[in-house]
Amino acid sequence: MTHKTPRVAIQGIRASFHEEAAFKFFGEDIQTIECNSFKQTFEALKNGEADYVVMAIENSIAGSLLPNYSLLLNYNFPVVGEVYLPIQLHLMALPGVAFEDIKVAMSHPIAIRQCVDFLDEYPQIKVIESNDTAACAKRIREEQLTDTVAIANTLAAKLYGLEILERRIESNKKNFTRFLILTTHDNAGKVEANKASLCFQVSNEVGSLAKVLNILAEEGVNMSKIQSMPVLGKRNEYNFYVDVEWTEQKQYDASLRQILKYTHNFNILGEYKRYEENL
């Protein structure tokens, strides 16, 4: 049963990018379920402690989050949506702290990597890695750290009462993370889909993957992403994760019917509406 206010499991804490993505998809009237790991978010969904999971799957700079593909397959919860979030990173400190006072900067390793050009200009600032951008902001507030800054989003600055000293310190201003929205089969409902996430294996013969890709092309179905992952314990066997998009349902239906002949362990991970925004 779905609660009036959706309970959304995220990896990390409130005001993290995962919560920002959840707000973007559901609006701000949600109950955020904070989890320490991506696996824990799926467990929360499985145990009825959450109605949805919001999970990062790829970043335009750091690439795919490979372990999360395995979670998709292992738990087999349907993907019901996606959201793209621009990753904007700011330097924040307790109110009244001057830039000259800063000795330490804390953030998630990926966020730190995305701000390396800025940080290189200030070698006197020691950089410390943490498991969550928002948690760094929270810690500065709780421990009243007057010589420390966090690298996080505006949501974190607002929630934990920090002042932004420098805005947009990320090196690449066109940095997006794609998040998937998952739920239980009971909760999924029918949507007018124009995008799907598929997973399958093909036989280890010359051209077997090419056959599948040709079918998509012939039916006018656009493949927007392909990712391969070795099948655990099987030599030369791979799971292919493929995202496809279409304008007419019949194109998709026709391609699926044919693809089934050339694949095995075929899974539809989800059919949903493509995320549209002027990125």
Side-chain angles (χ1 to χ4, degrees):
M1 116 154 199
T2 313
H3 295 243
K4 234 184 189 60
T5 307
R7 298 169 305 164
V8 183
I10 62 165
Q11 185 270 326
I13 68 167
R14 292 208 47 214
S16 62
F17 285 107
H18 274 84
E19 189 180 53
E20 198 179 332
F23 285 164
K24 203 164 181 183
F25 190 84
F26 294 100
E28 296 201 7
D29 187 20
I30 62 171
Q31 186 188 339
T32 303
I33 311 291
E34 299 176 339
C35 298
N36 293 328
S37 66
F38 288 114
K39 189 179 191 326
Q40 214 180 323
T41 63
F42 279 83
E43 285 294 320
L45 187 55
K46 185 177 152 187
N47 299 331
E49 294 154 13
D51 305 308
Y52 295 93
V53 163
V54 171
M55 178 180 77
I57 197 72
E58 64 188 270
N59 173 268
S60 55
I61 296 168
S64 294
L65 283 77
L66 295 179
N68 290 1
Y69 279 96
S70 302
L71 288 172
L72 285 180
L73 202 54
N74 295 345
Y75 281 87
N76 197 26
F77 286 121
V79 179
V80 291
E82 64 174 358
V83 66
Y84 282 80
L85 188 68
I87 302 300
Q88 299 180 354
L89 295 159
H90 315 296
L91 208 65
M92 55 195 70
L94 286 170
V97 170
F99 195 87
E100 301 76 62
D101 306 332
I102 297 160
K103 296 188 176 69
V104 176
M106 298 192 295
S107 198
H108 187 280
I110 290 181
I112 290 166
R113 216 163 63 227
Q114 288 166 0
C115 301
V116 72
D117 294 344
F118 177 86
L119 293 167
D120 279 353
E121 290 177 40
Y122 303 98
Q124 74 276 18
I125 298 175
K126 185 183 174 190
V127 179
I128 294 176
E129 294 187 353
S130 165
N131 60 346
D132 191 289
T133 52
C136 296
K138 187 181 183 187
R139 190 178 153 199
I140 288 173
R141 161 57 59 198
E142 284 176 350
E143 298 180 21
Q144 291 289 301
L145 304 173
T146 53
D147 64 349
T148 304
V149 284
I151 298 169
N153 60 5
T154 42
L155 213 54
K158 206 164 107 189
L159 186 64
Y160 301 114
L162 300 184
E163 232 164 54
I164 294 178
L165 298 180
E166 293 277 346
R167 287 187 179 274
R168 304 297 304 270
I169 64 166
E170 71 277 9
S171 305
N172 190 315
K173 305 299 179 210
K174 289 197 163 83
N175 179 8
F176 289 87
T177 295
R178 177 181 175 223
F179 296 81
L180 297 179
I181 318 297
L182 298 105
T183 190
T184 57
H185 287 276
D186 299 342
N187 228 349
K190 265 283 179 234
V191 288
E192 283 215 8
N194 58 5
K195 186 167 183 177
S197 293
L198 313 173
C199 179
F200 53 81
Q201 293 167 28
V202 293
S203 58
N204 191 15
E205 288 164 26
V206 173
S208 51
L209 179 62
K211 281 194 184 105
V212 172
L213 303 185
N214 281 334
I215 290 165
L216 293 172
E218 281 159 16
E219 293 299 337
V221 173
N222 175 42
M223 181 183 70
S224 58
K225 163 108 198 208
I226 183 166
Q227 181 72 51
S228 67
M229 287 268 291
V231 178
L232 275 177
K234 303 270 181 81
R235 197 162 149 261
N236 293 336
E237 283 194 36
Y238 291 86
N239 281 318
F240 290 97
Y241 295 86
V242 173
D243 289 336
V244 294
E245 302 171 358
W246 60 91
T247 43
E248 289 184 48
Q249 183 70 31
K250 62 181 186 205
Q251 301 170 301
Y252 172 64
D253 294 341
S255 62
L256 281 200
R257 275 196 301 275
Q258 298 170 68
I259 285 172
L260 283 168
K261 296 176 206 160
Y262 300 105
T263 60
H264 53 279
N265 293 341
F266 184 91
N267 272 289
I268 296 173
L269 299 171
E271 296 170 345
Y272 47 95
K273 262 192 149 22
R274 185 171 74 233
Y275 180 72
E276 307 253 0
E277 191 182 65
N278 302 326
L279 293 179

